Amino acid sequence: MSSSDQQEPQAIQPVQVLYCQICTFPPEYCEFGSSLTRCKEWLHETHPQLHEKYYSDEALQSKLGTLSLEAQAKLEKDTAKKEAKAEAKADAALKKKMASQISIRRIERNRRKFVTAVHGLEAFEIDLKKAAKFLAQKFATGASVTKNAQGQDEIVVQGDVSDEILELIENNTGLFKGIPAANVEIVEEKKKK
């Protein structure tokens, strides 16, 4: 065999998979998620041809044709129940987030030395390590994530920067976007003698 008789093997192209922006499943699996109605709306707006393929009357009839009427009713009821539960969970998480308090404590170490402890940022889905690094760079000082007396994580920044941190949060700067300023309180702690 000569080298011209052999064909070069064709490179196999990777499969492009579309993922739903609502439930993160591929569109054909959205029905197993907890937000089918919102998934359908998203698919209808962004990919009408796929919406037609999966959720047109003919597609639904061919899918449901094998189910009995009782099974169809049960499936619809279960889907509605699952969506309501997911919505209630999201509402509860939002309420908890809005009720969460962030405390900025100015703690005296010895005479003129202070540290600032920030507690409660994790309720607003802020990565504490990234926030500590951001604050350390912002104020050119040391900052770390440590556990407080209650065993909860908090950011400890060297120096008295409590007012500056409050200002960053009020201005929605950097990592602190989306934190309501009303949820922030400054506490001053004196060193016990």
Side-chain angles (χ1 to χ4, degrees):
M1 280 182 128
S2 68
S3 61
S4 62
D5 292 344
Q6 292 180 345
Q7 288 185 341
E8 288 288 316
Q10 289 291 319
I12 300 171
Q13 293 299 314
V15 177
Q16 294 294 320
V17 179
L18 172 72
Y19 291 100
C20 174
Q21 295 297 309
I22 308 297
C23 67
T24 69
F25 293 152
E28 57 268 29
Y29 294 102
C30 284
E31 64 189 272
F32 301 110
S34 57
S35 52
L36 180 61
T37 309
R38 290 190 4 244
C39 293
K40 281 184 182 177
E41 290 168 4
W42 172 82
L43 194 64
H44 186 67
E45 289 169 11
T46 56
H47 302 283
Q49 72 285 359
L50 279 176
H51 182 271
E52 194 65 28
K53 179 180 174 187
Y54 295 124
Y55 300 110
S56 68
D57 290 338
E58 301 87 43
L60 291 175
Q61 285 306 318
S62 69
K63 227 188 250 185
L64 295 176
T66 58
L67 292 176
S68 66
L69 290 174
E70 299 87 38
Q72 286 180 18
K74 186 179 185 304
L75 183 68
E76 287 172 8
K77 187 178 172 186
D78 286 351
T79 303
K81 198 174 181 181
K82 204 187 276 185
E83 283 185 12
K85 191 175 180 182
E87 219 167 276
K89 188 176 179 183
D91 286 347
L94 183 66
K95 281 180 186 169
K96 183 180 177 190
K97 182 177 174 179
M98 297 322 275
S100 296
Q101 280 292 109
I102 293 176
S103 65
I104 301 173
R105 292 193 335 264
R106 179 181 156 207
I107 305 165
E108 187 177 354
R109 277 194 326 177
N110 54 37
R111 280 187 276 156
R112 292 183 313 269
K113 302 260 188 224
F114 294 94
V115 293
T116 304
V118 184
H119 171 68
L121 289 174
E122 63 279 344
F124 295 92
E125 296 163 12
I126 291 175
D127 185 351
L128 295 182
K129 285 186 178 179
K130 285 182 181 175
K133 188 174 181 180
F134 172 78
L135 292 171
Q137 289 174 343
K138 181 80 177 165
F139 303 121
T141 185
S144 62
V145 178
T146 57
K147 295 223 181 281
N148 61 12
Q150 292 83 30
Q152 299 166 318
D153 285 338
E154 67 181 6
I155 299 173
V156 177
V157 183
Q158 299 299 314
D160 178 12
V161 291
S162 53
D163 294 330
E164 290 88 343
I165 293 173
L166 178 63
E167 195 175 298
L168 284 174
I169 293 172
E170 285 174 344
N171 295 337
N172 281 324
T173 308
L175 294 167
F176 303 116
K177 281 186 171 67
I179 298 176
N183 291 29
V184 183
E185 64 177 351
I186 292 186
V187 180
E188 188 157 339
E189 287 185 15
K190 293 269 189 245
K191 189 172 185 183
K192 292 159 186 89
K193 291 179 177 156

